[in-house]
């Protein structure tokens, strides 16, 4: 499949109904809504939000969130792809509804091992694998080290090394410095969940006004729940430290070298208004992933799958169509 590059203007992907937001509340559990479950492994428990497929027999997909996020981040995209894939959004250890790992390993390698162990235990490979930000870096490592587990790879603003990082990302990088999260927790102890949610949306969205009131309320409730967890700040700090540590690796362990090893067809999605991962890294990523296509969204920020889920779904579906056509053409009996 040849590399392709597309760029869509923000007004081309506005909601068709003219509503102010593209982050709705999650669908109800059961009867076509999300299905929550936990997968218990030795030393590890992974919480999963399943997006039931439209029919039996669809290929599996797994969604991996970014730093400080949860499976809820895929609530907009998952239902849009239910006609094509059987999707599970996982909470990384220490995030969402997943407890910390027994070994306390929040490194990039540790998170990647958790995803691999989940895939192996659930017997869901090979899957269509999605990742955003930290999740994008994690699934890149999974795809490079375990190509047998991955059909296609979709990366939304993957946190691949950018040195030096853009200035707007520096406060987030500081979370990796020991003691900074404790200081921030003290300085913001009087903030409400709504204030924290607005701050996160301002950092992650190209236009925070696109969030629906219902979607905002759901994310604020999730933030309030997360803040009550005794390990919240520790998981955030140590995971951020793992990202920064991975940035410094060289040679065969470099994240860019791992990207070059990925064989799966890869969809790269970047937002020009991203304050955490510069869209300038898009062309380098396209060159690194050998079998890739690039979609740049001028009005999107760091979480395009939440801001413009319809566009992301369409781009993935186009890649999936080509992937499935290629599989069919290569099957025995086809000339």
């Amino acid at each position: 499949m040849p590399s392709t590059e597309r760029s869509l203007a923000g007004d081309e992907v506005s909601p068709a109904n003219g509503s102010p937001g593209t982050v709705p509340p999650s669908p109800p559990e059961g009867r076509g809504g999300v299905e929550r479950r936990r997968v218990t492994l030795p030393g590890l428990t992974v919480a999963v939000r399943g997006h039931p497929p439209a029919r039996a027999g669809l290929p599996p997909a797994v969604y991996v969130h970014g730093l400080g996020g949860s499976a809820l981040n895929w609530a907009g995209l998952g239902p849009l792809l239910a006609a094509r894939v059987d999707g599970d959004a996982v909470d990384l250890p220490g995030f969402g509804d997943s407890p910390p790992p027994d070994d306390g390993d929040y490194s990039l390698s540790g998170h990647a091992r958790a995803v691999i162990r989940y895939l192996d235990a659930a017997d869901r490979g090979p899957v269509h694998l999605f990742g955003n930000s930290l999740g994008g870096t994690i699934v890149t490592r999974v795809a490079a080290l375990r190509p047998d587990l991955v059909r296609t790879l979709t990366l939304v603003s993957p946190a691949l090394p950018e040195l030096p990082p853009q200035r707007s990302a520096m406060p987030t990088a500081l979370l990796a410095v020991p003691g900074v999260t404790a200081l921030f927790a003290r300085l913001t102890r009087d903030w409400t969940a709504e204030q924290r949610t607005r701050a996160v949306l301002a950092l992650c969205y190209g236009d925070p006004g696109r969030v629906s009131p219902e979607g905002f309320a759901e994310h604020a409730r999730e933030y309030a729940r997360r803040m009550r967890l005794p390990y919240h700040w520790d998981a955030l700090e140590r995971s951020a430290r793992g990202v920064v540590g991975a940035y410094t690796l060289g040679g065969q362990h470099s994240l860019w070298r791992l990207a070059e090893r990925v064989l799966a067809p890869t969809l790269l999605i970047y937002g020009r208004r991203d304050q955490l991962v510069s869209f300038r890294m898009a062309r380098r990523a396209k060159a690194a992933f050998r079998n890739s296509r690039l979609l740049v969204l001028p009005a999107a920020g760091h979480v395009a799958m939440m801001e413009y889920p319809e566009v992301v779904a369409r781009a993935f579906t186009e890649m999936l169509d080509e992937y499935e056509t290629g599989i069919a053409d290569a099957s025995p009996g086809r000339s």
Side-chain angles (χ1 to χ4, degrees):
M1 180 174 62
S3 295
T4 59
E5 181 173 357
R6 296 171 56 199
S7 179
L8 298 180
D11 58 358
E12 292 183 56
V13 293
S14 297
N17 61 8
S19 63
T22 57
V23 180
S26 297
E29 295 187 36
R31 292 192 299 178
V34 297
E35 298 176 349
R36 302 188 186 210
R37 66 184 188 275
R38 286 193 169 196
V39 177
T40 301
L41 305 168
L44 181 70
T45 298
V46 178
V48 180
R49 289 172 60 98
H51 297 279
R55 63 184 187 279
L58 292 179
V62 171
Y63 308 95
V64 183
H65 63 82
L67 182 67
S70 72
L72 184 63
N73 291 20
W74 302 97
L77 181 65
L80 296 178
L81 296 180
R84 300 298 303 273
V85 299
D86 181 358
D88 279 348
V90 300
D91 287 325
L92 292 170
F95 295 92
D97 289 325
S98 293
D102 287 357
D103 61 6
D105 187 356
Y106 289 103
S107 68
L108 184 64
S109 297
H111 281 310
R113 281 196 298 272
V115 172
I116 289 172
R117 290 177 62 190
Y118 165 73
L119 292 174
D120 280 336
D123 194 25
R124 286 182 59 82
V127 304
H128 297 288
L129 195 54
F130 294 72
N132 168 235
S133 191
L134 166 65
T137 311
I138 291 169
V139 300
T140 294
R141 185 174 180 86
V142 172
L145 300 180
R146 289 291 304 275
D148 59 302
L149 293 177
V150 183
R151 299 179 190 230
T152 68
L153 192 63
T154 298
L155 306 177
V156 182
S157 296
L160 296 170
E162 177 186 0
L163 298 172
Q166 58 181 332
R167 291 183 180 180
S168 55
M170 290 302 295
T172 302
L174 287 174
L175 291 175
V177 178
V180 168
T181 53
L183 174 62
F184 183 75
R186 290 196 299 271
L187 293 175
T188 63
R189 62 180 178 272
D190 295 328
W191 286 20
T192 65
E194 290 75 17
Q195 287 175 305
R196 296 179 188 276
T197 301
R198 289 191 188 95
V200 170
L201 293 178
L203 180 65
C204 293
Y205 268 65
D207 177 9
R210 292 182 61 81
V211 182
S212 69
E214 297 84 1
F216 178 88
E218 182 173 39
H219 282 276
R221 287 193 297 271
E222 166 64 14
Y223 214 132
R225 184 196 67 81
R226 190 183 308 166
M227 290 298 297
R228 294 192 293 269
L229 299 175
Y231 51 82
H232 167 72
W233 291 112
D234 183 59
L236 192 65
E237 176 183 313
R238 294 170 70 181
S239 293
R241 197 178 305 158
V243 174
V244 172
Y247 271 37
T248 65
L249 295 176
Q252 294 301 317
H253 299 289
S254 161
L255 289 172
W256 287 111
R257 286 288 185 89
L258 288 175
E260 293 171 355
R261 291 171 56 182
V262 172
L263 301 176
T266 302
L267 171 62
L268 300 162
I269 302 174
Y270 285 80
R272 284 186 178 271
R273 296 183 182 177
D274 195 331
Q275 300 181 64
L276 297 173
V277 173
S278 173
F279 76 90
R280 293 190 299 270
M281 304 304 294
R283 292 190 182 277
R284 180 174 181 182
K286 186 176 176 237
F289 290 90
R290 65 179 72 184
N291 189 3
S292 65
R293 57 179 65 198
L294 172 62
L295 175 63
V296 178
L297 301 179
H302 191 58
V303 287
M305 77 288 184
M306 299 173 70
E307 297 177 83
Y308 300 102
E310 297 90 351
V311 179
V312 173
R314 186 164 67 246
F316 169 75
T317 299
E318 291 174 358
M319 177 174 68
L320 180 59
D321 287 341
E322 291 192 17
Y323 171 81
E324 292 180 341
T325 298
I327 293 295
D329 289 345
S331 63
R334 294 294 296 271
S335 58

